[in-house]
Amino acid sequence: GARRIPIAAILFWGGMGVGVLLSTITPEDSETSYRYVPMTMIFLGVLWFAATEFILLLRHRKRG
């Protein structure tokens, strides 16, 4: 079947992409309020990944 792309990966790489894009189109000296958006996306991606891995680990343990 089709390989599912994890939400964590979308958030992480999406955040990276947004971060690169924003740093390219915005001047460095400007104080932008949306500069936290890519950081938040990356952080949520990592958090989501950790949470899903942890849940999978717990489920796997219960079966054994």
Side-chain angles (χ1 to χ4, degrees):
R3 189 168 170 263
R4 272 184 61 233
I5 300 171
I7 292 170
I10 295 169
L11 278 170
F12 182 80
W13 291 111
M16 288 289 210
V18 169
V20 169
L21 199 70
L22 286 181
S23 65
T24 306
I25 59 176
T26 57
E28 281 300 315
D29 58 345
S30 69
E31 272 297 313
T32 49
S33 56
Y34 50 83
R35 208 164 268 251
Y36 66 88
V37 172
M39 283 304 204
T40 306
M41 283 177 75
I42 292 165
F43 179 71
L44 284 175
V46 171
L47 206 67
W48 192 290
F49 177 75
T52 48
E53 287 295 306
F54 186 67
I55 290 165
L56 282 172
L57 187 77
L58 288 180
R59 280 189 190 155
H60 191 70
R61 273 190 143 167
K62 280 180 189 169
R63 271 192 227 136

